[in-house]
Amino acid sequence: MKVTLTSIPVQDQEKALRFYTEKLGFLKKKDEPLGGGNRWLTLFAKDWQDGPELLLEPGPNHFEPLKVFQNALKEAGIPWTQFDVDNVDAEYERLTALGVEFTVKPTEEGKVKYAIINDTCGNYIQLVQEL
């Protein structure tokens, strides 16, 4: 058994696509219309093309409990998910230059360094580097 797909709820798929590709560097894998203006829109990490796909899920627009949960996590400052990076400080510099908002600047804690970004689509995402 292995993970081949994971999803992140986004309030605007097109805005999320731009953020995740132009800012974070993911590449688009699938983009299939689902009806009602929704798409099966998946991305992959350019460094891990055979890795899991990231589905930009339009769920918050159609399922109120998901929207409530997403908003509650964000209000509490809790990231929806985590992306591993080789160097949090370098990502902080690169992403800040691209205008990405950090809610937590690079911080060391135990055997990791982490930072938290706002994906502009309803989520905080934690970037983590193992030390």
Side-chain angles (χ1 to χ4, degrees), residues 94-114:
R94 183 182 78 79
L95 293 172
T96 299
L98 292 173
V100 173
E101 173 193 343
F102 279 77
T103 60
V104 176
K105 293 180 180 180
T107 304
E108 263 189 57
E109 192 167 302
K111 296 182 179 188
V112 299
K113 184 180 275 191
Y114 70 95

Side-chain angles (χ1 to χ4, degrees), residues 11-105:
Q11 296 165 356
D12 181 324
Q13 284 184 301
E14 191 58 37
K15 183 177 180 183
L17 177 61
R18 285 191 307 273
F19 180 85
Y20 282 83
T21 58
E22 295 172 10
K23 308 281 185 183
L24 300 187
F26 286 91
L27 300 173
K28 183 166 56 171
K29 186 161 189 174
K30 295 176 185 156
D31 190 353
E32 304 292 329
L34 293 175
N38 299 309
R39 297 145 65 184
W40 183 263
L41 183 56
T42 68
L43 310 174
F44 65 93
K46 65 181 174 184
D47 303 3
W48 195 14
Q49 295 185 15
D50 294 329
E53 292 177 54
L54 178 63
L55 172 64
L56 301 177
E57 172 67 55
N61 299 329
H62 309 288
F63 188 57
E64 188 63 25
L66 178 56
K67 187 174 190 174
V68 169
F69 181 60
Q70 182 187 39
N71 288 338
L73 282 178
K74 194 164 183 196
E75 287 174 18
I78 298 171
W80 181 270
T81 194
Q82 155 184 318
F83 298 147
D84 289 356
V85 297
D86 292 329
N87 184 317
V88 167
D89 291 320
E91 286 298 316
Y92 175 79
E93 294 301 323
R94 183 182 78 79
L95 293 172
T96 299
L98 292 173
V100 173
E101 173 193 343
F102 279 77
T103 60
V104 176
K105 293 180 180 180

Side-chain angles (χ1 to χ4, degrees), residues 1-18:
M1 191 177 307
K2 60 184 174 181
V3 176
T4 59
L5 181 127
T6 189
S7 67
I8 185 165
V10 297
Q11 296 165 356
D12 181 324
Q13 284 184 301
E14 191 58 37
K15 183 177 180 183
L17 177 61
R18 285 191 307 273

